[in-house]
Amino acid sequence: RYPHAQCDLDYDDSGSSKPVEYHDHEGMRLTVLRASHQIYNEANRVLWATNTFSFPEGLTFQRFMMKRTISKTRLIGHLRFKMEWDCGLINEWNRNLSMTVVKSMIGLRTLRLNILYDMKQSLWDTTDDRLLYYTSWTDGLRRLSTLPLRSAEVAFRIREWREEDGDTSYWQKDDRAKCAKDLKKSLLNPQGAEIYADHQRRLQKSRVIRKRMEEYSRSTPTSSLSRRVFSTSAKSHREDRHDSLPQSTRPADVPSVDGHKRHRSHPGNPLNLGMMSNRARIREVLPKLKIGRYEPGPTNSLTDVPGVLVHTQSIIRDPPESSHEVRTGVTTILPRRDFFNQGCYAGYFRFNGSGDMTGVHWLDETGLLNSPIIITNSFAVGAGYTGVYEYCIQKYRNSKGICDWFLLPLIAETFDGIMSDIGALAVKSEHVVHGIAQASSAPVQEGNTGGGTGMLCQGFKGGTGSSSRLIEGLELDEHSGAKKPVTYTLGTLVQCNYGAQRDFRIGGVPIGRLFMDEDGKELQSMAWAENVQSDTSTGKKDGSIIIVIATSAPLHPIQLQRLAKRATVGLARVGGWGSNGSGDIFLAFSTAHEIPRDPEVNISGNKPTVSQRIPVLEDTSINALFEAAADAVEEAIYNALCMAETMTGLGAKKVEALDLERVKSVMERYL
């Protein structure tokens, strides 16, 4: 419910009504009720589909959308946005036009933009027809271009610059008209969804390149002046990534390059990173490889699931900055932005228990998840726990400064002590706070990043990987009672730190043993460097894997437990079998339901209460999700291996990345 000052409705007065006469006869009452119900449903559709909803600011739009059910937002046909393009307000629009919100407006057909421009002309290249895809100032509008819009109107206005402002080079009328034309063209492009997906892929690659360039710049001796110039240039590309995080809570060593924390590397480049990366995901390495029968999502990543947000941070230090080499990090997953107040159903499966995932007793008890999912190293579980509390205390304490709520954080771990000085306790609670605040719907970074920075897999360098699948289904229409088509999304993220080369397979091909036959030896990545072992050390350790599965399908907790078990199938296909010392713990959650933390129910009473109706998938139709989960987990592990890069870590131990050219050569015989 909003005042007209906040949300205006332009009503369509073209319709007319006629009085309806009916007799109050006992035999006609049921017919009248049915007719009234039908009239209400049809009128409701007319309200949302024919009127134009106008919003003067992004926050008002966000609140409006949050108060409406999905069935209503899908009917919205016409929107008008009054935008102000300056540093603060445009970021607000970009945040509130999230992909989750955009995907809920599948019925949108008309978009009108009235943009008040408050920036210098030099920031724009009006001769570029792909303007919309070259600037972060239109991130939100870029997402709208994925919708099947039929009409778009764009108008630019500028603020009048005063002489004392020192700038009189504001846009001319022709410049504004050209930009408006380009923007409209991009919004109405029939290939908008494909262009957006391609942009996301290119964006992920550019972030990796910028990250490598930053690391290379720090590891190569240069003058202090050139270092400052590079740092300033890199920061200008991503300066908006930390806007929502108070300065006091940011880790001091987090550069504003790509949201991924990196520390200075010593001369000699211990990460073996050059100016450009030759790494690629499994579908690019082996285009002919078939991994299941379901198509991947737009970015083939966990964040394809609407509402799911991810952030990764890496911590890399070398002596004398630290006593020993540090190669670790944190991965943050938010089931939704408001994870605290709106819970979701979740379930887990313990394939082998030599590891930890906190908070799972509460999942067993209630099936409810109201926490971020933090994945890090084994010695950083406490920092993860504290970080979640620090974020929630700061954001959700009551007006008296008291925390009058209950929360059990969900923290998972794998052991990176072979490549990193795990006893340095490099991960701090502020890194977790930073990750929660900066989590986004961008494609998940893969390889040597996040909690997977120092991880090893199947004899090679491992790390973080992700994948997704689209599954066609049917759901009951609440208006007509008929079943209508619907597309569910399932996404996975893995932090893999397990396995031996001899067991490694790709598409069923024993590629690990084929490599061993050619080399005459087996790679021993799961062993400490000799110069860091004690006399009693065994020299080897079993690893672990954490797998997170998210889906938009409406599943209840028991179904999610069953879904989590299917991660085992994908793991086994690649070569994992759950060794005695391995911590293989899998989590699955559904974003379909929003379970309120504090429903308006008298909990002190004795009356069982139903306050909401929750649809769930029929068990007999769940096989497609089981199959997709196994396929997506398999591909996520491949992506972690393919995107990981050769790394030198604790005690100068060097672990090679999977040789992609060699993989191509061997697999050509089988594909």
Side-chain angles (χ1 to χ4, degrees):
R1 300 170 182 171
Y2 290 88
H4 290 293
Q6 292 179 311
C7 175
D8 304 321
L9 295 180
D10 299 335
Y11 291 101
D12 185 355
D13 299 322
S14 60
S16 61
S17 59
K18 297 181 181 180
V20 179
E21 296 183 2
Y22 64 91
H23 300 283
D24 187 14
H25 190 274
E26 186 70 26
M28 296 179 63
R29 288 182 181 177
L30 186 57
T31 302
V32 170
L33 287 174
R34 289 175 176 170
S36 299
H37 182 67
Q38 181 179 351
I39 291 171
Y40 170 79
N41 289 335
E42 293 178 357
N44 195 42
R45 294 192 192 101
V46 171
L47 169 67
W48 298 102
T50 62
N51 293 309
T52 299
F53 296 83
S54 300
F55 299 92
E57 57 185 25
L59 185 59
T60 304
F61 172 71
Q62 180 197 40
R63 291 174 176 171
F64 177 85
M65 296 297 290
M66 288 178 63
K67 294 290 185 179
R68 270 66 193 173
T69 63
I70 293 295
S71 60
K72 291 182 179 178
T73 58
R74 287 176 176 175
L75 294 174
I76 293 177
H78 312 281
L79 288 176
R80 180 190 292 122
F81 294 148
K82 299 176 183 178
M83 294 181 167
E84 290 191 34
W85 278 15
D86 61 21
C87 292
L89 294 177
I90 191 60
N91 284 333
E92 179 183 297
W93 273 107
N94 287 338
R95 285 193 298 269
N96 294 322
L97 282 171
S98 66
M99 203 61 197
T100 303
V101 172
V102 170
K103 286 182 178 180
S104 70
M105 298 189 299
I106 58 177
L108 186 64
R109 295 297 178 262
T110 301
L111 179 65
R112 301 174 186 173
L113 302 177
N114 191 338
I115 301 173
L116 180 62
Y117 173 80
D118 198 10
M119 297 301 296
K120 296 180 181 179
Q121 179 183 0
S122 59
L123 292 179
W124 292 94
D125 179 8
T126 57
T127 64
D128 196 329
D129 288 339
R130 288 174 65 109
L131 172 69
L132 183 61
Y133 301 97
Y134 272 81
T135 172
S136 63
W137 293 75
T138 53
D139 282 345
L141 298 181
R142 176 160 35 84
R143 299 181 190 110
L144 287 172
S145 69
T146 63
L147 296 175
L149 295 172
R150 296 174 183 171
S151 174
E153 298 177 11
V154 182
F156 279 96
R157 295 183 296 117
I158 62 170
R159 293 190 188 276
E160 292 296 333
W161 295 87
R162 300 171 297 178
E163 291 294 335
E164 54 266 32
D165 291 335
D167 192 317
T168 58
S169 61
Y170 55 84
W171 272 355
Q172 301 298 318
K173 183 177 181 180
D174 292 344
D175 296 328
R176 300 196 300 272
K178 177 66 167 61
C179 184
K181 180 180 178 181
D182 292 341
L183 193 54
K184 178 179 178 180
K185 179 180 177 181
S186 297
L187 287 169
L188 296 179
N189 193 330
Q191 284 78 42
E194 290 81 358
I195 293 176
Y196 176 79
D198 177 67
H199 169 75
Q200 294 295 98
R201 287 190 291 269
R202 290 188 288 107
L203 182 62
Q204 183 181 15
K205 291 182 179 179
S206 68
R207 284 173 177 166
V208 172
I209 292 173
R210 282 200 300 269
K211 180 170 60 177
R212 305 297 179 251
M213 291 177 66
E214 175 74 359
E215 294 165 353
Y216 183 82
S217 175
R218 293 180 177 185
S219 63
T220 304
T222 57
S223 68
S224 59
L225 176 61
S226 63
R227 286 176 186 269
R228 288 197 300 270
V229 170
F230 180 87
S231 178
T232 303
S233 174
K235 183 177 181 180
S236 67
H237 288 288
R238 304 298 302 172
E239 61 184 1
D240 62 321
R241 289 300 297 257
H242 304 302
D243 288 347
S244 61
L245 186 66
Q247 184 67 38
S248 60
T249 63
R250 300 178 196 167
D253 46 14
V254 180
S256 302
V257 178
D258 61 355
H260 299 266
K261 178 161 60 58
R262 293 282 183 182
H263 294 260
R264 181 181 58 80
S265 301
H266 62 66
N269 202 3
L271 302 183
N272 290 352
L273 303 176
M275 289 294 289
M276 300 292 287
S277 172
N278 62 349
R279 310 306 290 173
R281 307 181 85 189
I282 189 67
R283 287 177 182 264
E284 299 172 26
V285 177
L286 301 174
K288 295 181 181 179
L289 179 65
K290 301 299 181 183
I291 308 174
R293 54 177 173 163
Y294 296 103
E295 290 296 317
T299 64
N300 196 14
S301 180
L302 179 71
T303 51
D304 285 335
V305 180
V308 176
L309 309 174
V310 177
H311 185 268
T312 61
Q313 302 172 71
S314 295
I315 306 173
I316 297 177
R317 297 177 187 157
D318 294 282
E321 187 179 0
S322 60
S323 299
H324 302 284
E325 295 85 352
V326 172
R327 307 285 187 266
T328 192
V330 181
T331 297
T332 302
I333 303 172
L334 303 186
R336 55 174 55 94
R337 173 57 66 184
D338 189 11
F339 63 85
F340 185 85
N341 291 308
Q342 301 295 333
C344 60
Y345 284 140
Y348 80 100
F349 174 64
R350 183 192 70 250
F351 183 39
N352 196 74
S354 183
D356 198 9
M357 179 181 286
T358 70
V360 295
H361 296 300
W362 187 241
L363 292 185
D364 277 337
E365 192 72 23
T366 66
L368 292 177
L369 177 64
N370 279 90
S371 168
I373 301 160
I374 309 297
I375 315 176
T376 183
N377 73 64
S378 302
F379 285 22
V381 173
Y385 221 81
T386 302
V388 172
Y389 278 131
E390 286 181 356
Y391 177 88
C392 294
I393 289 169
Q394 179 183 358
K395 190 173 179 64
Y396 297 110
R397 71 171 78 213
N398 65 23
S399 58
K400 297 181 180 180
I402 303 299
C403 297
D404 54 354
W405 39 261
F406 175 75
L407 177 68
L408 286 173
L410 195 148
I411 318 295
E413 55 78 29
T414 58
F415 183 83
D416 60 12
I418 293 175
M419 296 300 292
S420 180
D421 180 11
I422 196 169
L425 302 179
V427 176
K428 306 297 182 183
S429 60
E430 55 262 30
H431 298 129
V432 178
V433 174
H434 173 75
I436 298 173
Q438 293 298 310
S440 73
S441 58
V444 176
Q445 297 288 317
E446 297 176 309
N448 303 357
T449 187
T453 299
M455 303 303 168
L456 312 172
C457 184
Q458 302 282 181
F460 303 94
K461 181 66 187 72
T464 303
S466 190
S467 184
S468 68
R469 292 293 185 273
L470 301 177
I471 305 102
E472 299 299 324
L474 296 172
E475 69 176 8
L476 190 67
D477 188 292
E478 61 183 28
H479 299 298
S480 65
K483 291 184 178 179
K484 61 180 182 180
V486 64
T487 300
Y488 297 122
T489 306
L490 181 144
T492 61
L493 182 146
V494 301
Q495 180 168 302
C496 46
N497 187 53
Y498 74 94
Q501 182 186 13
R502 62 180 178 272
D503 299 317
F504 180 39
R505 295 185 294 276
I506 296 180
V509 177
I511 194 165
R513 288 194 175 273
L514 294 175
F515 282 7
M516 290 168 56
D517 292 342
E518 293 178 359
D519 299 338
K521 63 178 182 179
E522 180 179 6
L523 296 175
Q524 300 292 337
S525 63
M526 290 289 183
W528 276 276
E530 293 183 1
N531 60 343
V532 302
Q533 295 182 58
S534 66
D535 294 337
T536 59
S537 174
T538 61
K540 296 184 65 177
K541 185 188 182 303
D542 294 331
S544 304
I545 183 170
I546 298 296
I547 301 176
V548 177
I549 302 174
T551 181
S552 62
L555 304 182
H556 58 65
I558 299 300
Q559 291 174 325
L560 289 162
Q561 290 178 18
R562 300 178 67 200
L563 186 68
K565 292 178 182 179
R566 269 59 186 184
T568 312
V569 179
L571 172 62
R573 290 174 182 170
V574 185
W577 42 267
S579 69
N580 176 69
S582 185
D584 306 335
I585 309 175
F586 315 143
L587 176 75
F589 65 88
S590 168
T591 62
H593 308 126
E594 294 184 358
I595 313 299
R597 166 181 286 274
D598 295 312
E600 297 180 359
V601 177
N602 180 14
I603 61 175
S604 63
N606 296 320
K607 295 182 178 180
T609 303
V610 176
S611 58
Q612 61 181 141
R613 294 182 178 179
I614 298 177
V616 294
L617 200 74
E618 297 175 6
D619 282 332
T620 53
S621 66
I622 202 172
N623 281 345
L625 290 170
F626 288 167
E627 182 181 353
D631 296 339
V633 167
E634 177 187 4
E635 184 171 357
I637 299 174
Y638 292 151
N639 286 335
L641 283 159
C642 291
M643 291 298 290
E645 302 183 56
T646 298
M647 176 179 282
T648 302
L650 183 63
K653 178 180 175 62
K654 183 177 180 181
V655 177
E656 297 288 341
L658 180 64
D659 188 334
L660 300 185
E661 293 302 320
R662 193 178 182 187
V663 169
K664 292 179 184 178
S665 176
V666 171
M667 292 298 292
E668 282 178 354
R669 312 174 213 162
Y670 301 93
L671 297 178

